Amino acid sequence: MISIRDDSLGLPPTPFVREVEGIFSASGILSGASSFEYRPEQQQMAVAVARTIENGGHLVVEAGTGVGKSLAYLVPAALHAVRTKRKAVISTHTIALQEQLMFKDIPFVQQIIPEEFEAVLLKGRQNYLCTTRLAKALGQAKDLFTDIQHAELERVREWSQRTRDGSLSDFEEQPDAAVWEEVRSEQHLCTPKLCGPHSGCFYQALRRRVANARLVILNHALFFTLLNTVEDVENRTGGLLFANDFVVFDEAHTMEEVAARHIGSEVSQLGLRRTVQRLYNPRTKKGLFQILKNGPACRTVSDILPVVDSFFQSVASRCEFKKSREFRIREPGLVEGGDFCGALANLGDLLGIEAGKCTDETASSELQEAARKLRAARADVADFLAMEERSHVHWVEQYGRSEQFCTLRSAPVNLADALRRLLFRPGACTVLTSATLSTGSPGLMYFRNRVGAESVPALQIGSPFDYERQMKVHLVEKMPDPKSPDYEPSLGRWITHFAGESDARAFVLFTSYQTMRAVAELVESGFERKGWQLLVQGGGMPTQRMVHEFKSNPRSVLFGVSSFWTGVDVPGEALSNVIITRLPFTTPDHPLTEARLEEIEAQGGRAFENYSLPEAILKLRQGVGRLIRSKSDTGTIVILDSRIVSKPYGKAFLNAIPKCPVVVH
């Protein structure tokens, strides 16, 4: 057994820490499970987590693949939450890990520890059906929906009678977005008062379960969305989302990027248009004001819709989207926004007046909610155009296929200050963990600096896997430059060669959709002749379905981009080869990345060494980590980027991945 002392106090461990240490020992209660094998690395992490949540404070842990970090934090978290009546919040990045926790790891923990506890998976409220709103929509369907939408509403009604949890993930085929907006839970329209215990409302039932649960599982995006709604969060003396909670962030390497999207602001043209059209849609002549038979209000809304589109069209006309779909705004006053903001203000005032007249409580709440959204959009647009928050980067993002829409976005260039205040303040308790936090700097300092955790204790735990025996790396030295006409054909030839070495069973990871699609076209017929199934991301098949297909067919090759570099788990022989086409440097043309690089240079740093290189190392480690998922796995890593051999920084990449045999071609 490892002997671990409480370093923070210089005292022997407490009874709780000793108990957790014993649970993970070679003869502890976990040892009775058929799948358990004693791992000192797992025991070390579990003890560190137990000490942190018992004493309060914060911890950053890198736990190599195979440590079993999920159990290492779940067991002490569950025990402590049950005994102290605190709530443990577990935040992850991927759906796959959430499902692993809910349907595999937590049921196992519930079996082995003596105390009973409930765990709840929480998604954003807009994922859930509100039966009160559904009943209202059914009664007002004639004035709310077209005939096609009415049929879709009926499908939702039928589904509501058999669904397990009332969430979108329980649909075989997703409902029409406009219909779902009228029946989903929304903050001021689906409340305990309107949707009491006997209403059958799925979201309110979930809220009651969450209130009593000891473990709450959610994703990083929802965590930061909910954190924005917590009043005076920086000065709270207790927990973060709930009174006196403690939080474990798994897959913490993604936390900074997710937080940036949710701590910043956005105003979507399509979202704003939908908010207004829910009041009245001149094309379909449906909407809330149609239900209320309010002709003057319908005409007012009809007049405002062109103003909304005209504003965003004027924004788009001032942007150049030649290189990408994002365009950075560097100076205030991009366009004149007075008429647009005035129109939103006038409509908001009208909604307030009409809500006051309305005798229908639900309709009044709908009008008030729309007014709140319009006020928030108006304030965010005004802030965007004024650009008074100089620590933020501002950009316009264009999207859509048949029709182009715009979104105005802003985000802090440096999140460290915000996260330090929000997450690592006195009174809060947080544990951040991932298999890949290190970039080679001591003490996980690169990651800790990025998220404001410079003063947080750090623990680095290696993997129990024998990479010298289990893994081999192949480097291709003579690859053409990506701008060369022979680049994509060369990629195709090398991918076919190395996939042949493993008889398919390969992930091919790209950094560019365009390159991935081009190479897929080049190799498709050859793969077909070999009897290999080619799965290409972006063809309409969801990620989890692609992984299932890959596991089911032992002669598959999967082509993927960003989402397949991380969080995908395929243990065993099904995945025997990971081919990395390019070192995953982040392109500096995204406004947020560009602004971060500029800030580093302005402070006297070197953007490549201080940001671009460590970020690429983290991403490469994630990609490499897809291969070896158990002690019995074996396989090869192939890197088809000559820079790893020819450039001085190539050694930094090679030093960051597990030590194993390397072959240069």
Side-chain angles (χ1 to χ4, degrees):
M1 180 182 294
I2 299 174
S3 177
I4 299 177
R5 300 180 64 83
D6 189 330
D7 297 329
S8 63
L9 301 175
L11 298 171
T14 64
F16 175 63
V17 172
R18 283 199 179 280
E19 179 184 9
V20 171
E21 185 181 21
I23 288 172
F24 286 88
S25 71
S27 57
I29 59 174
L30 276 174
S31 64
S34 59
S35 59
F36 177 78
E37 59 181 51
Y38 168 61
R39 284 169 280 189
E41 298 89 354
Q42 185 181 48
Q43 186 186 44
Q44 183 185 5
M45 177 176 171
V47 166
V49 172
R51 185 166 55 226
T52 299
I53 61 179
E54 183 180 38
N55 292 341
H58 313 284
L59 177 68
V60 175
V61 186
E62 180 184 76
T65 306
V67 165
K69 65 181 185 302
S70 299
L71 284 182
Y73 62 70
L74 282 175
V75 170
L79 283 171
H80 187 71
V82 170
R83 292 173 184 175
T84 62
K85 299 294 189 286
R86 296 175 68 186
K87 202 179 296 292
V89 177
I90 314 295
S91 180
T92 79
H93 182 62
T94 61
I95 294 173
L97 181 54
Q98 287 183 348
E99 292 178 346
Q100 175 192 314
L101 293 175
M102 282 302 301
F103 304 119
K104 179 184 175 185
D105 295 337
I106 289 174
F108 177 68
V109 174
Q110 288 172 322
Q111 290 175 2
I112 63 164
I113 70 172
E115 289 89 346
E116 293 185 359
F117 67 91
E118 183 177 12
V120 174
L121 175 61
L122 179 62
K123 306 171 192 174
R125 69 184 302 149
Q126 293 181 342
N127 285 278
Y128 294 93
L129 177 72
C130 171
T131 50
T132 303
R133 294 194 73 208
L134 173 62
K136 200 77 174 178
L138 287 165
Q140 299 170 339
K142 182 179 177 182
D143 291 319
L144 272 180
F145 303 110
T146 64
D147 290 344
I148 294 175
Q149 290 175 331
H150 190 240
E152 184 74 344
L153 180 68
E154 183 59 25
R155 185 169 76 89
V156 173
R157 185 195 64 79
E158 292 174 358
W159 167 84
S160 72
Q161 296 174 348
R162 62 177 186 274
T163 178
R164 293 167 297 175
D165 64 357
S167 78
L168 278 172
S169 61
D170 208 24
F171 270 101
E172 289 184 10
E173 182 181 342
Q174 296 289 287
D176 175 83
V179 173
W180 184 253
E181 283 184 14
E182 297 294 339
V183 299
R184 70 190 183 186
S185 176
E186 290 198 18
Q187 185 173 2
H188 300 286
L189 306 177
C190 171
T191 64
K193 179 182 177 182
L194 295 172
C195 306
H198 304 295
S199 68
C201 175
F202 289 98
Y203 182 73
Q204 293 302 327
L206 176 72
R207 281 193 58 168
R208 291 189 288 273
R209 287 186 61 206
V210 167
N212 296 318
R214 297 272 64 90
L215 264 65
V216 176
I217 315 299
L218 43 65
N219 65 25
H220 298 339
L222 180 57
F223 178 89
F224 286 105
T225 298
L226 294 176
L227 195 65
N228 283 336
T229 68
V230 176
E231 187 174 350
D232 199 21
V233 63
E234 294 181 29
N235 297 313
R236 288 182 63 173
T237 56
L240 291 169
L241 299 185
F242 306 93
N244 206 26
D245 65 16
F246 57 93
V247 183
V248 177
F249 292 97
D250 201 344
E251 301 179 310
H253 58 279
T254 64
M255 194 175 76
E256 181 189 9
E257 288 306 309
V258 176
R261 292 197 298 271
H262 290 81
I263 291 178
S265 68
E266 68 173 78
V267 181
S268 158
Q269 176 184 0
L270 189 56
L272 193 55
R273 182 197 275 189
R274 284 177 173 170
T275 296
V276 176
Q277 286 179 333
R278 286 177 68 185
L279 300 170
Y280 180 71
N281 187 330
R283 183 178 59 82
T284 63
K285 295 183 170 47
K286 309 291 182 182
L288 187 56
F289 280 136
Q290 181 66 28
I291 293 170
L292 298 174
K293 309 302 180 188
N294 191 328
C298 289
R299 288 190 290 275
T300 300
V301 173
S302 298
D303 292 339
I304 281 177
L305 276 168
V307 177
V308 171
D309 286 334
S310 176
F311 169 77
F312 282 99
Q313 287 163 6
S314 67
V315 167
S317 70
R318 300 292 301 273
C319 303
E320 295 181 10
F321 297 108
K322 294 177 181 178
K323 292 183 179 180
S324 68
R325 64 177 186 171
E326 298 92 10
F327 181 77
R328 184 175 175 186
I329 309 301
R330 294 180 177 271
E331 298 295 335
L334 174 68
V335 295
E336 173 55 51
D339 290 345
F340 172 73
C341 290
L344 293 187
N346 291 338
L347 181 55
D349 291 342
L350 172 66
L351 292 173
I353 293 169
E354 296 301 326
K357 295 178 183 176
C358 198
T359 57
D360 184 320
E361 184 178 1
T362 304
S364 177
S365 297
E366 293 267 7
L367 294 173
Q368 291 172 18
E369 174 65 7
R372 271 187 285 268
K373 289 181 178 179
L374 293 175
R375 284 196 296 270
R378 176 175 174 265
D380 285 341
V381 167
D383 289 345
F384 182 92
L385 295 177
M387 289 181 63
E388 292 178 354
E389 190 61 77
R390 304 308 293 177
S391 63
H392 283 51
V393 59
H394 301 73
W395 73 96
V396 180
E397 190 171 299
Q398 193 175 59
Y399 57 96
R401 293 183 179 177
S402 59
E403 188 177 0
Q404 296 293 306
F405 299 99
C406 286
T407 294
L408 313 183
R409 296 186 184 275
S410 72
V413 178
N414 186 337
L415 270 173
D417 290 343
L419 292 179
R420 191 183 301 112
R421 295 193 308 270
L422 293 170
L423 302 183
F424 305 116
R425 57 175 172 75
C429 178
T430 55
V431 174
L432 281 63
T433 185
S434 169
T436 49
L437 298 178
S438 173
T439 62
S441 60
L444 309 177
M445 281 311 300
Y446 174 76
F447 172 77
R448 291 161 67 197
N449 285 333
R450 294 298 313 170
V451 299
E454 304 91 335
S455 61
V456 172
L459 180 63
Q460 201 167 353
I461 301 173
S463 170
F465 295 156
D466 182 0
Y467 286 100
E468 291 271 12
R469 178 186 61 82
Q470 294 178 256
M471 188 172 84
K472 181 181 288 188
V473 173
H474 293 268
L475 310 178
V476 176
E477 187 175 13
K478 295 182 180 179
M479 279 293 296
D481 185 274
K483 296 178 182 177
S484 165
D486 194 41
Y487 176 66
E488 289 169 357
S490 293
L491 270 185
R493 287 192 294 270
W494 280 112
I495 289 167
T496 301
H497 168 75
F498 282 110
E501 294 287 303
S502 59
D503 193 20
R505 300 183 300 166
F507 272 13
V508 185
L509 302 179
F510 292 83
T511 58
S512 159
Y513 264 108
Q514 184 177 350
T515 303
M516 178 181 70
R517 286 191 290 264
V519 174
E521 289 181 10
L522 291 173
V523 303
E524 187 173 16
S525 59
F527 281 19
E528 189 174 340
R529 286 193 298 271
K530 293 175 182 292
W532 298 347
Q533 180 186 25
L534 177 60
L535 300 164
V536 182
Q537 189 176 4
M541 188 182 295
T543 299
Q544 294 305 310
R545 175 73 185 279
M546 286 181 70
V547 173
H548 176 75
E549 287 288 324
F550 182 84
K551 290 178 178 179
S552 301
N553 187 342
R555 304 194 75 204
S556 293
V557 178
L558 187 150
F559 282 19
V561 286
S562 56
S563 58
F564 280 96
W565 286 74
T566 179
V568 178
D569 191 10
V570 185
E573 293 184 356
L575 178 59
S576 300
N577 191 357
V578 173
I579 301 172
I580 293 169
T581 57
R582 290 283 285 169
L583 295 176
F585 286 104
T586 304
T587 54
D589 55 358
H590 190 284
L592 187 53
T593 304
E594 184 182 48
R596 286 171 175 168
L597 298 177
E598 290 172 357
E599 182 185 56
I600 291 169
E601 295 281 354
Q603 294 175 351
R606 301 180 67 176
F608 181 79
E609 288 87 349
N610 297 148
Y611 184 81
S612 300
L613 181 59
E615 285 293 313
I617 288 172
L618 286 175
K619 187 73 175 285
L620 181 76
R621 292 188 64 206
Q622 283 290 325
V624 170
R626 297 314 94 216
L627 182 65
I628 305 299
R629 309 300 296 176
S630 73
K631 285 190 173 182
S632 61
D633 285 355
T634 59
T636 57
I637 297 290
V638 179
I639 301 177
L640 300 176
D641 190 329
S642 61
R643 291 176 296 178
I644 201 166
V645 179
S646 64
K647 297 293 185 182
Y649 58 74
K651 291 182 180 179
F653 285 100
L654 291 174
N655 291 337
I657 64 178
K659 188 178 179 181
C660 66
V662 177
V663 179
V664 180
H665 296 264

